[in-house]
Amino acid sequence: MRLSETHVPVAGSEIAGERHHLMKIAYRLLGTVADAEDAVQEAFARWYRLAEADRVAIDVPRAWLTRVTSRICLDHLGSARARRDTYVGEWLPEPVPAESYLAASDPLARAALAEDVGLALLVVLETLTPAERVAFVLHDVFALPFGEIAEIVGRTPAACRQLATAARRRLRADRASRAPRTRHDELARVFAEACSGGDLHALIAVLDPAVVLRSDGGGRVSAARRPVFGADAVARFVLGVLRKNPEVQVEPRLMSDGVVFVWQRAGRAAGVLALRASSECITDVWIVMNPDKLRAWDSATR
């Protein structure tokens, strides 16, 4: 870390003001708000454990905090896959409403967030290696140079460039196969109308024959522990869930990559259903029901 020739003490309020920036990084890297909060909290704890003279000697606190937070996230990603072997059922990233506290108050920053943080992106990021994910997010989203990323991931700058390129290639392929936002929302509307009318045939018609449904209850609530494959099976599963829970109210809401549907029971979010669509039909259905991943929707509802 480069040190300044003239050291100026950094106020605690200035450091605390970096929390939003660090949360945006950590959420993209880890996929859940709780894990992101833990990573950022640990980074701040390490900052305050430094000797006063060491803190004063740091030229750019944001750079130091970004590096430490990213390293914590990288370590977490390395162990997360082993922990998920014991996770009950399917694991999905945590969906966050477009109007959540992760969205910046600055309209330009809010627009930038809305463009690239959605459940579809987070699902694809889960397919990357931890090093690929860190290299891509830090370089392509937050414009960190590969020299700094190399210090975080323990690779050469050239290797980090290759990691980011591999991640970018996978993300571009996924993005190219996805419908534009307007088409996504149109298919979501057709999906919702078929569900509300209990129309099995209409629902099957809007689904890809090879559609896959994954639901995440985390062992906290009842959810399908294995993926559901095929249009007929997925349609019957969704309609069956709605029939068994007539008290649930379904409300369309916005996530950054399009319309999602929030299931509410007694005024509290009981689930979030999100869709991935091609230009012709719905290819993936994701249902997040783990209460630990619905906090932001409750806050937004209240």
Side-chain angles (χ1 to χ4, degrees):
M1 179 61 63
R2 185 169 59 88
L3 302 182
S4 63
E5 297 179 2
T6 304
H7 306 311
V8 179
V10 180
S13 59
E14 293 181 43
I15 290 298
E18 300 294 346
R19 184 177 186 278
H20 174 72
H21 167 73
L22 299 175
M23 279 294 295
K24 290 197 297 182
I25 293 174
Y27 174 63
R28 286 167 168 84
L29 291 179
L30 300 179
T32 74
V33 174
D35 286 342
E37 288 174 337
D38 288 346
V40 172
Q41 185 65 23
E42 174 60 21
F44 278 124
R46 294 184 187 184
W47 169 265
Y48 286 111
R49 283 200 296 267
L50 292 173
E52 178 66 24
D54 292 335
R55 287 201 300 269
V56 170
I58 293 174
D59 186 29
V60 185
R62 168 175 281 204
W64 188 94
L65 287 165
T66 296
R67 178 179 177 180
V68 171
T69 300
S70 300
R71 184 69 221 186
I72 292 168
C73 291
L74 181 62
D75 292 342
H76 181 93
L77 287 170
S79 61
R81 297 187 181 188
R83 291 199 305 274
R84 287 176 197 164
D85 288 340
T86 61
Y87 192 83
V88 179
E90 293 287 301
W91 188 94
L92 289 170
E94 178 176 351
V96 172
E99 69 274 23
S100 80
Y101 69 89
L102 283 180
S105 57
D106 174 8
L108 293 178
R110 185 187 296 273
L113 180 68
E115 286 175 359
D116 64 5
V117 183
L119 196 57
L121 170 69
L122 292 172
V123 168
V124 178
L125 288 176
E126 284 295 314
T127 69
L128 305 178
T129 68
E132 285 174 341
R133 188 167 183 168
V134 170
F136 170 79
V137 168
L138 293 183
H139 181 266
D140 284 44
V141 180
F142 294 95
L144 261 69
F146 286 116
E148 292 183 28
I149 296 171
E151 296 180 26
I152 295 169
V153 301
R155 310 279 184 94
T156 66
C160 291
R161 187 182 300 276
Q162 292 178 347
L163 290 170
T165 298
R168 196 179 303 122
R169 187 180 302 118
R170 196 170 307 177
L171 287 157
R172 282 176 178 167
D174 174 77
R175 195 174 296 119
S177 66
R178 271 191 275 147
R181 170 71 177 269
T182 53
R183 179 58 175 161
H184 171 281
D185 289 353
E186 179 184 347
L187 290 169
R189 177 183 56 78
V190 175
F191 177 92
E193 289 175 353
C195 288
S196 63
D199 191 333
L200 176 65
H201 297 296
L203 188 52
I204 291 174
V206 78
L207 298 174
D208 188 295
V211 65
V212 181
L213 178 147
R214 291 179 171 83
S215 60
D216 178 351
R220 301 282 308 280
V221 297
S222 178
R225 295 194 177 187
R226 295 178 180 174
V228 180
F229 297 97
D232 184 79
V234 168
R236 293 180 186 276
F237 179 88
V238 172
L239 293 180
V241 169
L242 293 174
R243 280 196 300 269
K244 291 176 183 177
N245 298 274
E247 78 285 2
V248 168
Q249 295 180 320
V250 180
E251 177 186 355
R253 294 282 293 278
L254 285 180
M255 211 177 150
S256 53
D257 50 1
V259 171
V260 300
F261 301 97
V262 181
W263 298 354
Q264 295 190 57
R265 182 182 288 112
R268 300 295 299 271
V272 174
L273 184 148
L275 306 168
R276 183 187 184 280
S278 68
S279 59
E280 298 179 353
C281 54
I282 293 165
T283 60
D284 294 272
V285 179
W286 300 305
I287 306 176
V288 178
M289 302 176 67
N290 185 339
D292 293 337
K293 298 180 180 180
L294 299 175
R295 292 181 303 154
W297 299 92
D298 277 340
S299 297
T301 299
R302 286 196 296 270

